[in-house]
Amino acid sequence: MEILISAVIGELVTRSINFIISKIPRPTRVDVEDRLRRVLLRARIILDEAMGRHITNQAMLLQLSMVRDAMYRGYYMLDTFSYQSRNEDRKDKVMTHLSSSSQVHSVNFSSRNTPILKQLQETLDDLTSLIPDVQELVVFLTSYPRMSRQPYSMHLQLANCMFGRQMEAHLVINFLLHVQPHSAEELEILPIVGPSYVGKSTLVAHVCKDERVCAHFSEILFFHFQGFKDEELATFKDECELKHQNRVSESNSEGRLLVIIELIGDLNEEIWNRLYSTSKRYAPRGSKIIVTSRFDNIVKYGTTQALTLKFLSHEAYWYFFKTLTFGSMYPDMHPKLMRLAMEIAKMMGQPRCHLGANINAHLLKDNFDVQFWFEFLAFLRQSHQKPASRFGEHPPDLPNQNIPILFGRMSTLSEDIMFYNRCQHPSEGEVPKIKFQDVVCGSVKTHGKFEVLAWRSRIPPYHSYTYTCEIGGLKTRPLKRKRSMKNGAVHF
């Protein structure tokens, strides 16, 4: 009898709880979006404050990196749901056609509101759980000194600062400023690896401009290694490019050197040992080496854990591309352009590098018009299909491998353009006057083979990126044979 009474009471309690829960008003999508915006603003404040500090604690840097990644995901989900849900509600024919014809990644809406609300809530929960974890971090941030100057605004002038590498920059600086307790004779070596155009040179250039690094070393030398003869090793220091020289020699009595070795090709152990021995001969105690390469085998030559750079995540890439494209404008004022921008960003595919984002964002910003953006998206789709059939890969995958890229032209789609031999040039070098955008848009009538400027970076090391371009003549379409009957004969 007691068991029966307990079961009945338990059932009544369960039903009562379920009844009370059912009467509690569930948060609407608008409520969740509003809360997510507030949490994202809070995350931005924390990250902006952290960017202006000299942080040496690696655990703190890792936690800040987690908050930054969560913030990118939050903005991506917020933008995606906001504009795709508007598209469903308004049933805009143009936008519906874009969504239905797109073959790239998109958010799946199986029903009207439930998936949107659920995924927004999950994103909000992730960020909300991270914010309390960094409350102590905010307090600790005040114990770190402020940077003497902060020349760029992260959100208003994103094109003029290094994006997405804050944690990596702090790690490299901490390595360079760390002083060994017993002044070991062996040089400390930090390998930095990653694919082409991932930002290795940009990261190193920014680190070498840090005031603390400049004060710590008497000279900063750059050496581009492509393989050289034995007699050139004897003049190793003469072959290096002097990037910095400390004018106040008294502040650095030991004359420490920082040697940056950029490996263009692969490197075997024998050549590395000779290169290291030569560097050690010229470098006093306390000097350090940073070596960058596309190949992972240099990791074994490091005296500390290697730093591996990867391309931007989809969410971080969208945040970067959106800010470059719209600048200080409020994107909500241009919902159709925002939707087209999201589709264009998705069409870029892999790898999500800064170079591609800069080139396309510059083109869209200079032609801030719905019709142009719509035509540019259609152009990207058509260009996607051409290399897929000819080279077996899509255009965004090709530049990193320096494989020829086949494009059409926006003005005359029947005319093909071949881009190949992508190169980067130093800031002081001459660059072509014809721009990549002008060729694609059809404003350049030149035919044959010539050099074009794809992008000139506004941040150190101020490289210019060029392509060799080849434009053929217009394709002539074969005339269709018309059949006619005259006096019982067939004529074509």
Side-chain angles (χ1 to χ4, degrees), residues 39 42-43 46 67 126-136 138:
V39 175
R42 191 175 179 184
I46 295 173
V67 175
D126 290 341
L127 263 171
T128 306
S129 63
L130 278 174
I131 294 299
D133 292 341
V134 296
Q135 286 181 347
E136 293 182 357
V138 175

Side-chain angles (χ1 to χ4, degrees), residues 167-445:
M167 185 186 77
E168 290 85 349
H170 280 295
L171 290 175
V172 177
I173 291 173
N174 292 342
F175 161 77
L176 294 177
L177 300 183
H178 176 261
V179 179
Q180 291 180 308
H182 303 295
S183 299
E185 294 185 1
E186 297 297 323
L187 297 178
E188 289 187 275
I189 303 168
L190 171 64
I192 301 179
V193 297
S196 299
Y197 301 102
V198 76
K200 300 184 294 294
S201 298
T202 302
L203 174 64
V204 171
H206 276 73
V207 167
C208 291
K209 281 186 171 293
D210 187 275
E211 294 178 354
R212 296 166 297 168
V213 174
C214 292
H216 189 73
F217 296 96
S218 62
E219 291 182 352
I220 299 178
L221 305 174
F222 272 72
F223 182 69
H224 303 274
F225 180 81
Q226 292 180 317
F228 44 75
K229 301 177 182 178
D230 290 340
E231 56 267 20
E232 292 176 314
L233 283 172
T235 59
F236 170 76
K237 193 171 181 180
D238 296 333
E239 297 291 330
C240 292
E241 180 183 1
L242 180 63
K243 288 291 186 179
H244 165 76
Q245 187 171 16
N246 195 342
R247 299 298 180 183
V248 187
S249 58
E250 293 81 5
S251 64
N252 186 1
S253 57
E254 297 180 2
R256 291 182 292 262
L257 300 180
L258 171 57
V259 181
I260 312 296
I261 301 177
E262 294 187 347
L263 300 179
I264 308 302
D266 202 354
L267 186 70
N268 60 45
E269 190 166 355
E270 180 184 356
I271 296 178
W272 167 256
N273 290 334
R274 292 160 56 197
L275 185 61
Y276 173 77
S277 299
T278 305
S279 303
K280 187 178 177 182
R281 189 186 314 155
Y282 288 102
R285 289 186 179 183
S287 300
K288 299 196 178 184
I289 297 177
I290 293 179
V291 54
T292 66
S293 175
R294 294 183 291 117
F295 301 96
D296 293 336
N297 63 347
I298 70 163
V299 171
K300 61 184 178 182
Y301 304 132
T303 60
T304 186
Q305 184 177 358
L307 182 61
T308 302
L309 299 186
K310 298 180 180 179
F311 288 110
L312 299 175
S313 66
H314 187 76
E315 296 83 2
Y317 185 83
W318 164 243
Y319 184 87
F320 181 63
F321 179 71
K322 177 185 71 172
T323 310
L324 287 179
T325 304
F326 290 93
S328 58
M329 289 180 290
Y330 194 54
D332 280 342
M333 297 174 62
H334 310 278
K336 289 188 177 181
L337 290 176
M338 186 70 165
R339 181 69 181 92
L340 286 167
M342 294 196 76
E343 292 293 335
I344 291 171
K346 293 172 186 175
M347 286 299 296
M348 294 178 192
Q350 295 282 359
R352 302 184 187 94
C353 64
H354 298 77
L355 177 61
N358 274 294
I359 293 174
N360 289 286
H362 182 71
L363 177 63
L364 296 177
K365 195 171 183 179
D366 287 348
N367 300 273
F368 207 75
D369 175 73
V370 173
Q371 183 62 30
F372 180 87
W373 288 27
F374 182 81
E375 292 175 357
F376 184 67
L377 178 58
F379 160 75
L380 284 179
R381 285 205 179 96
Q382 186 184 58
S383 299
H384 240 70
Q385 296 170 359
K386 287 188 177 184
S389 61
R390 184 160 181 175
F391 300 109
E393 299 186 56
H394 293 300
D397 302 317
L398 298 177
N400 194 43
Q401 305 171 29
N402 219 4
I403 299 175
I405 311 170
L406 183 63
F407 274 105
R409 301 186 83 170
M410 290 182 64
S411 56
T412 54
L413 294 178
S414 59
E415 192 175 31
D416 283 342
I417 313 172
M418 187 75 72
F419 290 103
Y420 56 93
N421 190 29
R422 182 166 74 173
C423 302
Q424 66 181 35
H425 305 275
S427 56
E428 62 274 8
E430 295 185 3
V431 296
K433 295 181 180 180
I434 301 177
K435 297 181 180 179
F436 173 88
Q437 295 91 332
D438 297 333
V439 175
V440 171
C441 294
S443 59
V444 174
K445 306 303 180 183

Side-chain angles (χ1 to χ4, degrees), residues 483-491:
R483 301 180 59 177
S484 63
M485 294 292 295
K486 187 176 181 180
N487 297 329
V490 179
H491 299 272

Side-chain angles (χ1 to χ4, degrees), residues 96-151:
T96 303
H97 172 71
L98 287 176
S99 298
S100 61
S101 61
S102 177
Q103 297 180 1
V104 295
H105 168 76
S106 60
V107 180
N108 181 29
F109 295 99
S110 57
S111 63
R112 274 276 180 194
N113 296 318
T114 305
I116 299 177
L117 182 59
K118 182 179 179 181
Q119 295 185 53
L120 277 178
Q121 186 65 55
E122 289 176 353
T123 306
L124 175 62
D125 292 342
D126 290 341
L127 263 171
T128 306
S129 63
L130 278 174
I131 294 299
D133 292 341
V134 296
Q135 286 181 347
E136 293 182 357
L137 183 145
V138 175
V139 177
F140 290 142
L141 280 176
T142 59
S143 63
Y144 288 97
R146 283 191 175 275
M147 294 184 181
S148 57
R149 55 191 178 95
Q150 189 72 11

